[in-house]
Amino acid sequence: MNNFQFYSPTCFVFGKDTESQAGECVKRFGGTKVLIHYGGGSVVRSGLLDRVKKSLDTEGISYVELGGVKPNPRSGLVYEGIDLCKKENVDFILAVGGGSVIDSSKAIAAGTVYDGDFWDFYQGKRIEKALSVGTVLTIAAAGSEGSPDSVITKEEGMFKRGASGDAIRPKFSILNPALTQTLPPFQSAAGITDIMAHLYERYLTNTKEVEVTDRLIEALLLTMVHEGPRVIADPNNYEARANIMWAGTLAHNNMCGVGRSQDWISHSVEHELSALYDCAHGAGLAVTMPAVFKYEMSHNVMRFAQVAVRVWGCQMDFEHPEVTALAGINALQKFLISIGMPSNFEELGAKEEDIPKLVNVLCRGDGRDGTIEGFIKLNEEDCTKIYKMMV
């Protein structure tokens, strides 16, 4: 196990009707002027936005609003939010929505107190200072409610990139599983896929002797395998929703990733798909992960065989461990298909003729040097082969 520091100060307020505590939480963490940031009409139609506003009114906290966040959040709205926060002297950002809203809020929080272009953080500069952020989560997926990470798409060039820093970890996150009960099955399945991807990205490590975090990841993967079909069959199953929501948080606050190297190639490869085609991130991952894993498998067959046995119940073939490893990857893909996820380019809406463009942006775009690195190091030829495997 590698040396590590783990800092996770987010206060989680979990359970039914907890959105009524938003104002109280903002006051507790020093907010006096709030930007309420949200997406489309669902938070309005459901009455959630009004309940959040009422909680702020009760605490005497003033606020301004900025809606319009889209899936795969865009830089243009971030710039608009930064300008609004500076104009209105906002000192706290309250994200009401899913991962896209939270990621956009984090970008605004960092950019508001920074003299340069916020995109510097998405080109590798560490975020050291930001406005405080709180969240009211409406979908279990990205894990951004407990993480120091944010992903934004730059509209000029359509580069989808990530930034990180403990300064953008939410001060509090309100998690009411009931808010996810109205999600369409496809969105629920995409969220489940994203959670599982966050776990696999940490499981695929080159660090030796990391049994504690291996077992944590395996337990959360088994939870998703159990609860995923239950929530697809019955969207109103509160207990299944609750387990999935908490698993999503634990999957990405890095509790499962400390002391070990991590992969993140699947996310990098997928980001180009959702940037170009605006597909759901989870759906893109459902197509990407099996291809990436099959390409990576020979690097450490026993790592793939281990998860195949421990999570997917595959029989260990000690003479031919690659058979077990492949069976585990196929079991993952079969599971994702069973909950309604796509399995190839066509189902995702992607086009084979776009592969050169995807590879160029992935490997060369926005200042990259022609390679991406995680569990293994990939060049443009490798990435081309992976995209072709998805066709």
Side-chain angles (χ1 to χ4, degrees):
M1 186 184 297
N2 299 332
N3 293 357
F4 67 86
Q5 293 185 14
F6 182 53
Y7 179 68
S8 184
T10 305
C11 174
F12 295 102
V13 183
F14 192 99
K16 295 178 180 179
D17 302 320
T18 45
E19 63 270 20
S20 64
Q21 299 177 44
E24 177 186 335
C25 290
V26 170
K27 178 175 281 189
R28 173 182 172 185
F29 288 98
T32 61
K33 182 67 176 289
V34 174
L35 171 67
I36 305 176
H37 199 34
Y38 57 95
S42 60
V43 297
V44 178
R45 291 192 301 270
S46 67
L48 174 60
L49 189 60
D50 285 338
R51 295 196 296 276
V52 169
K53 289 179 183 178
K54 182 180 178 180
S55 74
L56 293 171
D57 290 336
T58 299
E59 298 296 335
I61 298 171
S62 61
Y63 53 83
V64 293
E65 302 176 37
L66 181 61
V69 181
K70 298 177 180 179
N72 307 309
R74 305 293 203 269
S75 58
L77 194 64
V78 172
Y79 287 118
E80 186 177 338
I82 291 169
D83 290 342
L84 180 59
C85 286
K86 290 180 177 179
K87 177 183 175 182
E88 297 290 340
N89 294 314
V90 165
D91 59 16
F92 199 102
I93 300 180
L94 182 59
V96 183
S100 294
V101 173
I102 300 171
D103 282 6
S104 183
S105 296
K106 289 175 175 180
I108 294 170
T112 299
V113 298
Y114 180 59
D115 290 334
D117 187 340
F118 90 91
W119 192 252
D120 292 346
F121 299 121
Y122 294 79
Q123 291 183 305
K125 185 180 179 68
R126 189 78 176 174
I127 299 173
E128 302 290 349
K129 185 179 179 182
L131 295 182
S132 295
V133 176
T135 85
V136 179
L137 186 65
T138 60
I139 179 171
S144 193
E145 69 277 1
S147 81
D149 306 314
S150 166
V151 177
I152 299 292
T153 299
K154 185 178 182 181
E155 286 156 308
E156 184 183 350
M158 295 305 288
F159 301 121
K160 188 173 182 180
R161 300 291 185 257
S164 189
D166 282 323
I168 58 171
R169 278 190 188 268
K171 299 298 183 184
F172 69 85
S173 285
I174 291 172
L175 281 59
N176 177 1
L179 297 178
T180 68
Q181 288 177 251
T182 57
L183 290 171
F186 181 85
Q187 278 191 280
S188 296
I192 290 164
T193 305
D194 197 8
I195 292 167
M196 296 180 78
H198 292 157
L199 294 165
Y200 264 96
E201 299 284 27
R202 291 171 168 87
Y203 202 83
L204 299 178
T205 181
N206 292 309
T207 309
K208 306 293 185 184
E209 302 291 340
V210 283
E211 186 73 3
V212 172
T213 41
D214 274 357
R215 292 296 189 177
L216 289 172
I217 294 168
E218 291 158 7
L220 289 167
L221 284 170
L222 285 165
T223 298
M224 304 311 294
V225 172
H226 179 258
E227 300 292 11
R230 293 178 72 203
V231 84
I232 298 300
D234 179 11
N236 293 316
N237 187 328
Y238 176 86
E239 298 304 335
R241 292 281 188 189
N243 282 320
I244 290 171
M245 181 170 267
W246 190 233
T249 299
L250 297 179
H252 201 45
N253 72 347
N254 211 37
M255 180 185 72
C256 296
V258 295
R260 57 197 290 152
S261 68
Q262 301 177 20
D263 190 9
W264 299 103
I265 286 177
S266 291
H267 268 71
S268 294
V269 171
E270 191 289 323
H271 280 167
E272 305 312 330
L273 296 173
S274 49
L276 183 59
Y277 303 111
D278 209 22
C279 59
H281 177 52
L285 285 167
V287 177
T288 300
M289 281 193 291
V292 170
F293 294 169
K294 288 173 185 176
Y295 201 81
E296 293 178 322
M297 190 180 77
S298 62
H299 174 66
N300 188 341
V301 169
M302 291 308 297
R303 181 125 290 263
F304 284 98
Q306 178 175 287
V307 71
V309 171
R310 292 182 178 182
V311 173
W312 299 107
C314 300
Q315 187 68 35
M316 184 63 204
D317 187 334
F318 289 99
E319 292 187 5
H320 304 285
E322 69 278 3
V323 172
T324 305
L326 184 59
I329 297 170
N330 289 336
L332 167 65
Q333 185 169 37
K334 183 178 179 181
F335 172 79
L336 297 176
I337 293 170
S338 77
I339 61 173
M341 287 287 93
S343 63
N344 57 46
F345 254 35
E346 183 179 1
E347 293 176 31
L348 195 63
K351 300 176 182 178
E352 185 174 3
E353 58 264 33
D354 289 336
I355 288 176
K357 181 192 298 185
L358 292 165
V359 171
N360 182 62
V361 178
L362 171 63
C363 296
R364 296 287 180 181
D366 209 27
R368 290 185 173 174
D369 67 358
T371 62
I372 60 171
E373 192 165 0
F375 194 45
I376 60 176
K377 187 173 184 177
L378 302 177
N379 59 28
E380 291 167 271
E381 183 181 356
D382 296 317
C383 294
T384 298
K385 290 177 181 177
I386 289 171
Y387 280 122
K388 287 185 175 180
M389 289 169 68
M390 301 182 209
V391 175

